[in-house]
PDB file of all heavy atoms in Angstrom:
ATOM      1  N   TYR A 227     -17.600  16.240  22.831  1.00  0.00           N
ATOM      2  CA  TYR A 227     -17.522  17.281  21.790  1.00  0.00           C
ATOM      3  C   TYR A 227     -16.851  16.773  20.516  1.00  0.00           C
ATOM      4  O   TYR A 227     -17.348  16.992  19.411  1.00  0.00           O
ATOM      5  CB  TYR A 227     -16.761  18.506  22.324  1.00  0.00           C
ATOM      6  CG  TYR A 227     -17.553  19.392  23.261  1.00  0.00           C
ATOM      7  CD1 TYR A 227     -16.941  20.490  23.869  1.00  0.00           C
ATOM      8  CD2 TYR A 227     -18.893  19.163  23.528  1.00  0.00           C
ATOM      9  CE1 TYR A 227     -17.651  21.323  24.727  1.00  0.00           C
ATOM     10  CE2 TYR A 227     -19.614  19.988  24.385  1.00  0.00           C
ATOM     11  CZ  TYR A 227     -18.982  21.067  24.986  1.00  0.00           C
ATOM     12  OH  TYR A 227     -19.677  21.883  25.828  1.00  0.00           O
ATOM     13  N   VAL A 228     -15.722  16.104  20.675  1.00  0.00           N
ATOM     14  CA  VAL A 228     -14.998  15.687  19.465  1.00  0.00           C
ATOM     15  C   VAL A 228     -15.760  14.565  18.751  1.00  0.00           C
ATOM     16  O   VAL A 228     -15.731  14.464  17.521  1.00  0.00           O
ATOM     17  CB  VAL A 228     -13.529  15.319  19.782  1.00  0.00           C
ATOM     18  CG1 VAL A 228     -13.382  13.943  20.407  1.00  0.00           C
ATOM     19  CG2 VAL A 228     -12.667  15.425  18.516  1.00  0.00           C
ATOM     20  N   ARG A 229     -16.501  13.751  19.504  1.00  0.00           N
ATOM     21  CA  ARG A 229     -17.310  12.715  18.866  1.00  0.00           C
ATOM     22  C   ARG A 229     -18.393  13.348  17.981  1.00  0.00           C
ATOM     23  O   ARG A 229     -18.641  12.899  16.853  1.00  0.00           O
ATOM     24  CB  ARG A 229     -17.958  11.816  19.931  1.00  0.00           C
ATOM     25  CG  ARG A 229     -18.807  10.676  19.357  1.00  0.00           C
ATOM     26  CD  ARG A 229     -19.588   9.933  20.441  1.00  0.00           C
ATOM     27  NE  ARG A 229     -20.327  10.823  21.322  1.00  0.00           N
ATOM     28  CZ  ARG A 229     -21.439  11.480  20.980  1.00  0.00           C
ATOM     29  NH1 ARG A 229     -21.958  11.334  19.773  1.00  0.00           N
ATOM     30  NH2 ARG A 229     -22.025  12.292  21.852  1.00  0.00           N
ATOM     31  N   ARG A 230     -19.035  14.424  18.494  1.00  0.00           N
ATOM     32  CA  ARG A 230     -20.063  15.108  17.690  1.00  0.00           C
ATOM     33  C   ARG A 230     -19.464  15.584  16.367  1.00  0.00           C
ATOM     34  O   ARG A 230     -20.066  15.444  15.295  1.00  0.00           O
ATOM     35  CB  ARG A 230     -20.610  16.326  18.437  1.00  0.00           C
ATOM     36  CG  ARG A 230     -21.363  15.975  19.706  1.00  0.00           C
ATOM     37  CD  ARG A 230     -21.936  17.241  20.354  1.00  0.00           C
ATOM     38  NE  ARG A 230     -22.147  17.038  21.783  1.00  0.00           N
ATOM     39  CZ  ARG A 230     -22.638  17.954  22.609  1.00  0.00           C
ATOM     40  NH1 ARG A 230     -22.962  19.160  22.144  1.00  0.00           N
ATOM     41  NH2 ARG A 230     -22.799  17.711  23.885  1.00  0.00           N
ATOM     42  N   LEU A 231     -18.290  16.177  16.473  1.00  0.00           N
ATOM     43  CA  LEU A 231     -17.606  16.709  15.298  1.00  0.00           C
ATOM     44  C   LEU A 231     -17.264  15.585  14.310  1.00  0.00           C
ATOM     45  O   LEU A 231     -17.536  15.689  13.103  1.00  0.00           O
ATOM     46  CB  LEU A 231     -16.352  17.442  15.780  1.00  0.00           C
ATOM     47  CG  LEU A 231     -15.433  18.126  14.794  1.00  0.00           C
ATOM     48  CD1 LEU A 231     -14.695  19.277  15.517  1.00  0.00           C
ATOM     49  CD2 LEU A 231     -14.401  17.181  14.234  1.00  0.00           C
ATOM     50  N   LEU A 232     -16.681  14.509  14.823  1.00  0.00           N
ATOM     51  CA  LEU A 232     -16.258  13.399  13.952  1.00  0.00           C
ATOM     52  C   LEU A 232     -17.451  12.788  13.231  1.00  0.00           C
ATOM     53  O   LEU A 232     -17.386  12.503  12.022  1.00  0.00           O
ATOM     54  CB  LEU A 232     -15.550  12.323  14.788  1.00  0.00           C
ATOM     55  CG  LEU A 232     -14.173  12.692  15.340  1.00  0.00           C
ATOM     56  CD1 LEU A 232     -13.722  11.654  16.384  1.00  0.00           C
ATOM     57  CD2 LEU A 232     -13.142  12.789  14.220  1.00  0.00           C
ATOM     58  N   GLU A 233     -18.528  12.607  13.976  1.00  0.00           N
ATOM     59  CA  GLU A 233     -19.679  11.933  13.373  1.00  0.00           C
ATOM     60  C   GLU A 233     -20.396  12.839  12.381  1.00  0.00           C
ATOM     61  O   GLU A 233     -20.819  12.386  11.313  1.00  0.00           O
ATOM     62  CB  GLU A 233     -20.607  11.407  14.471  1.00  0.00           C
ATOM     63  CG  GLU A 233     -19.903  10.268  15.223  1.00  0.00           C
ATOM     64  CD  GLU A 233     -20.717   9.639  16.339  1.00  0.00           C
ATOM     65  OE1 GLU A 233     -21.751  10.222  16.721  1.00  0.00           O
ATOM     66  OE2 GLU A 233     -20.291   8.571  16.832  1.00  0.00           O
ATOM     67  N   LYS A 234     -20.504  14.128  12.705  1.00  0.00           N
ATOM     68  CA  LYS A 234     -21.165  15.056  11.799  1.00  0.00           C
ATOM     69  C   LYS A 234     -20.430  15.149  10.459  1.00  0.00           C
ATOM     70  O   LYS A 234     -21.056  15.268   9.400  1.00  0.00           O
ATOM     71  CB  LYS A 234     -21.239  16.446  12.451  1.00  0.00           C
ATOM     72  CG  LYS A 234     -21.977  17.488  11.636  1.00  0.00           C
ATOM     73  CD  LYS A 234     -23.471  17.222  11.646  1.00  0.00           C
ATOM     74  CE  LYS A 234     -24.227  18.278  10.866  1.00  0.00           C
ATOM     75  NZ  LYS A 234     -25.673  18.012  10.891  1.00  0.00           N
ATOM     76  N   LEU A 235     -19.109  15.111  10.526  1.00  0.00           N
ATOM     77  CA  LEU A 235     -18.305  15.243   9.304  1.00  0.00           C
ATOM     78  C   LEU A 235     -18.062  13.896   8.621  1.00  0.00           C
ATOM     79  O   LEU A 235     -17.407  13.842   7.590  1.00  0.00           O
ATOM     80  CB  LEU A 235     -16.952  15.903   9.628  1.00  0.00           C
ATOM     81  CG  LEU A 235     -16.995  17.356  10.103  1.00  0.00           C
ATOM     82  CD1 LEU A 235     -15.625  17.786  10.634  1.00  0.00           C
ATOM     83  CD2 LEU A 235     -17.429  18.285   8.956  1.00  0.00           C
ATOM     84  N   ASP A 236     -18.562  12.821   9.189  1.00  0.00           N
ATOM     85  CA  ASP A 236     -18.240  11.453   8.724  1.00  0.00           C
ATOM     86  C   ASP A 236     -16.722  11.361   8.513  1.00  0.00           C
ATOM     87  O   ASP A 236     -16.222  10.950   7.465  1.00  0.00           O
ATOM     88  CB  ASP A 236     -19.006  11.111   7.447  1.00  0.00           C
ATOM     89  CG  ASP A 236     -19.045   9.609   7.213  1.00  0.00           C
ATOM     90  OD1 ASP A 236     -18.706   8.835   8.139  1.00  0.00           O
ATOM     91  OD2 ASP A 236     -19.371   9.197   6.080  1.00  0.00           O
ATOM     92  N   TYR A 237     -16.048  11.762   9.551  1.00  0.00           N
ATOM     93  CA  TYR A 237     -14.606  11.995   9.506  1.00  0.00           C
ATOM     94  C   TYR A 237     -13.822  10.683   9.511  1.00  0.00           C
ATOM     95  O   TYR A 237     -14.220   9.723  10.174  1.00  0.00           O
ATOM     96  CB  TYR A 237     -14.240  12.812  10.748  1.00  0.00           C
ATOM     97  CG  TYR A 237     -12.872  13.446  10.715  1.00  0.00           C
ATOM     98  CD1 TYR A 237     -12.692  14.735  10.221  1.00  0.00           C
ATOM     99  CD2 TYR A 237     -11.764  12.769  11.207  1.00  0.00           C
ATOM    100  CE1 TYR A 237     -11.442  15.327  10.208  1.00  0.00           C
ATOM    101  CE2 TYR A 237     -10.510  13.354  11.194  1.00  0.00           C
ATOM    102  CZ  TYR A 237     -10.353  14.633  10.686  1.00  0.00           C
ATOM    103  OH  TYR A 237      -9.119  15.220  10.677  1.00  0.00           O
ATOM    104  N   VAL A 238     -12.682  10.683   8.829  1.00  0.00           N
ATOM    105  CA  VAL A 238     -11.764   9.534   8.863  1.00  0.00           C
ATOM    106  C   VAL A 238     -10.346  10.058   9.030  1.00  0.00           C
ATOM    107  O   VAL A 238      -9.879  10.875   8.227  1.00  0.00           O
ATOM    108  CB  VAL A 238     -11.867   8.697   7.575  1.00  0.00           C
ATOM    109  CG1 VAL A 238     -10.786   7.613   7.542  1.00  0.00           C
ATOM    110  CG2 VAL A 238     -13.256   8.064   7.472  1.00  0.00           C
ATOM    111  N   GLY A 239      -9.673   9.582  10.064  1.00  0.00           N
ATOM    112  CA  GLY A 239      -8.297  10.016  10.341  1.00  0.00           C
ATOM    113  C   GLY A 239      -8.219  10.604  11.731  1.00  0.00           C
ATOM    114  O   GLY A 239      -9.130  10.447  12.549  1.00  0.00           O
ATOM    115  N   VAL A 240      -7.096  11.283  11.993  1.00  0.00           N
ATOM    116  CA  VAL A 240      -6.894  11.939  13.290  1.00  0.00           C
ATOM    117  C   VAL A 240      -7.357  13.379  13.207  1.00  0.00           C
ATOM    118  O   VAL A 240      -7.137  14.046  12.192  1.00  0.00           O
ATOM    119  CB  VAL A 240      -5.411  11.859  13.721  1.00  0.00           C
ATOM    120  CG1 VAL A 240      -5.044  12.952  14.714  1.00  0.00           C
ATOM    121  CG2 VAL A 240      -5.120  10.491  14.337  1.00  0.00           C
ATOM    122  N   VAL A 241      -8.004  13.845  14.256  1.00  0.00           N
ATOM    123  CA  VAL A 241      -8.396  15.244  14.369  1.00  0.00           C
ATOM    124  C   VAL A 241      -7.900  15.777  15.702  1.00  0.00           C
ATOM    125  O   VAL A 241      -7.728  14.998  16.655  1.00  0.00           O
ATOM    126  CB  VAL A 241      -9.932  15.397  14.283  1.00  0.00           C
ATOM    127  CG1 VAL A 241     -10.608  14.969  15.582  1.00  0.00           C
ATOM    128  CG2 VAL A 241     -10.336  16.822  13.939  1.00  0.00           C
ATOM    129  N   ALA A 242      -7.637  17.076  15.769  1.00  0.00           N
ATOM    130  CA  ALA A 242      -7.297  17.716  17.045  1.00  0.00           C
ATOM    131  C   ALA A 242      -8.285  18.846  17.280  1.00  0.00           C
ATOM    132  O   ALA A 242      -8.471  19.706  16.406  1.00  0.00           O
ATOM    133  CB  ALA A 242      -5.878  18.279  17.000  1.00  0.00           C
ATOM    134  N   LEU A 243      -8.928  18.831  18.415  1.00  0.00           N
ATOM    135  CA  LEU A 243      -9.882  19.882  18.787  1.00  0.00           C
ATOM    136  C   LEU A 243      -9.279  20.680  19.940  1.00  0.00           C
ATOM    137  O   LEU A 243      -8.999  20.125  21.008  1.00  0.00           O
ATOM    138  CB  LEU A 243     -11.219  19.253  19.204  1.00  0.00           C
ATOM    139  CG  LEU A 243     -12.283  20.202  19.764  1.00  0.00           C
ATOM    140  CD1 LEU A 243     -12.692  21.267  18.754  1.00  0.00           C
ATOM    141  CD2 LEU A 243     -13.517  19.410  20.224  1.00  0.00           C
ATOM    142  N   GLU A 244      -9.049  21.974  19.695  1.00  0.00           N
ATOM    143  CA  GLU A 244      -8.468  22.849  20.720  1.00  0.00           C
ATOM    144  C   GLU A 244      -9.578  23.521  21.504  1.00  0.00           C
ATOM    145  O   GLU A 244     -10.514  24.077  20.924  1.00  0.00           O
ATOM    146  CB  GLU A 244      -7.590  23.920  20.071  1.00  0.00           C
ATOM    147  CG  GLU A 244      -6.351  23.370  19.383  1.00  0.00           C
ATOM    148  CD  GLU A 244      -5.426  24.479  18.902  1.00  0.00           C
ATOM    149  OE1 GLU A 244      -5.332  25.514  19.601  1.00  0.00           O
ATOM    150  OE2 GLU A 244      -4.818  24.307  17.841  1.00  0.00           O
ATOM    151  N   LEU A 245      -9.438  23.485  22.812  1.00  0.00           N
ATOM    152  CA  LEU A 245     -10.491  23.977  23.711  1.00  0.00           C
ATOM    153  C   LEU A 245      -9.903  24.877  24.782  1.00  0.00           C
ATOM    154  O   LEU A 245      -8.785  24.651  25.255  1.00  0.00           O
ATOM    155  CB  LEU A 245     -11.164  22.778  24.404  1.00  0.00           C
ATOM    156  CG  LEU A 245     -11.827  21.737  23.498  1.00  0.00           C
ATOM    157  CD1 LEU A 245     -11.857  20.364  24.172  1.00  0.00           C
ATOM    158  CD2 LEU A 245     -13.242  22.184  23.135  1.00  0.00           C
ATOM    159  N   PHE A 246     -10.682  25.888  25.169  1.00  0.00           N
ATOM    160  CA  PHE A 246     -10.364  26.663  26.369  1.00  0.00           C
ATOM    161  C   PHE A 246     -11.128  26.049  27.533  1.00  0.00           C
ATOM    162  O   PHE A 246     -12.331  25.775  27.408  1.00  0.00           O
ATOM    163  CB  PHE A 246     -10.786  28.126  26.211  1.00  0.00           C
ATOM    164  CG  PHE A 246     -10.109  28.827  25.073  1.00  0.00           C
ATOM    165  CD1 PHE A 246     -10.850  29.371  24.024  1.00  0.00           C
ATOM    166  CD2 PHE A 246      -8.726  28.962  25.044  1.00  0.00           C
ATOM    167  CE1 PHE A 246     -10.224  30.032  22.970  1.00  0.00           C
ATOM    168  CE2 PHE A 246      -8.093  29.626  23.986  1.00  0.00           C
ATOM    169  CZ  PHE A 246      -8.847  30.151  22.949  1.00  0.00           C
ATOM    170  N   ASP A 247     -10.462  25.841  28.635  1.00  0.00           N
ATOM    171  CA  ASP A 247     -11.119  25.333  29.835  1.00  0.00           C
ATOM    172  C   ASP A 247     -11.353  26.520  30.763  1.00  0.00           C
ATOM    173  O   ASP A 247     -10.419  27.068  31.344  1.00  0.00           O
ATOM    174  CB  ASP A 247     -10.244  24.269  30.511  1.00  0.00           C
ATOM    175  CG  ASP A 247     -10.925  23.665  31.738  1.00  0.00           C
ATOM    176  OD1 ASP A 247     -12.026  24.128  32.121  1.00  0.00           O
ATOM    177  OD2 ASP A 247     -10.341  22.725  32.316  1.00  0.00           O
ATOM    178  N   ALA A 248     -12.640  26.947  30.834  1.00  0.00           N
ATOM    179  CA  ALA A 248     -12.996  28.104  31.662  1.00  0.00           C
ATOM    180  C   ALA A 248     -13.780  27.586  32.858  1.00  0.00           C
ATOM    181  O   ALA A 248     -15.014  27.552  32.848  1.00  0.00           O
ATOM    182  CB  ALA A 248     -13.815  29.100  30.834  1.00  0.00           C
ATOM    183  N   GLY A 249     -13.058  27.106  33.853  1.00  0.00           N
ATOM    184  CA  GLY A 249     -13.694  26.628  35.085  1.00  0.00           C
ATOM    185  C   GLY A 249     -14.633  25.462  34.852  1.00  0.00           C
ATOM    186  O   GLY A 249     -15.732  25.415  35.410  1.00  0.00           O
ATOM    187  N   GLY A 250     -14.211  24.516  34.034  1.00  0.00           N
ATOM    188  CA  GLY A 250     -15.016  23.324  33.784  1.00  0.00           C
ATOM    189  C   GLY A 250     -15.880  23.445  32.536  1.00  0.00           C
ATOM    190  O   GLY A 250     -16.344  22.447  32.000  1.00  0.00           O
ATOM    191  N   THR A 251     -16.109  24.667  32.082  1.00  0.00           N
ATOM    192  CA  THR A 251     -16.803  24.867  30.801  1.00  0.00           C
ATOM    193  C   THR A 251     -15.753  24.829  29.695  1.00  0.00           C
ATOM    194  O   THR A 251     -14.750  25.531  29.780  1.00  0.00           O
ATOM    195  CB  THR A 251     -17.507  26.241  30.781  1.00  0.00           C
ATOM    196  OG1 THR A 251     -18.430  26.279  31.859  1.00  0.00           O
ATOM    197  CG2 THR A 251     -18.221  26.462  29.456  1.00  0.00           C
ATOM    198  N   LEU A 252     -15.994  24.003  28.691  1.00  0.00           N
ATOM    199  CA  LEU A 252     -15.049  23.927  27.584  1.00  0.00           C
ATOM    200  C   LEU A 252     -15.584  24.722  26.402  1.00  0.00           C
ATOM    201  O   LEU A 252     -16.726  24.520  25.973  1.00  0.00           O
ATOM    202  CB  LEU A 252     -14.831  22.466  27.173  1.00  0.00           C
ATOM    203  CG  LEU A 252     -14.185  21.559  28.218  1.00  0.00           C
ATOM    204  CD1 LEU A 252     -14.038  20.137  27.654  1.00  0.00           C
ATOM    205  CD2 LEU A 252     -12.812  22.101  28.642  1.00  0.00           C
TER     206      LEU A 252
END
Side-chain angles (χ1 to χ4, degrees):
Chain A
Y227 283 176
V228 78
R229 181 188 50 73
R230 295 183 204 180
L231 181 154
L232 290 168
E233 292 181 347
K234 183 72 178 180
L235 294 169
D236 198 13
Y237 195 91
V238 173
V240 157
V241 76
L243 174 61
E244 294 187 35
L245 301 153
F246 300 120
D247 183 355
T251 301
L252 296 180

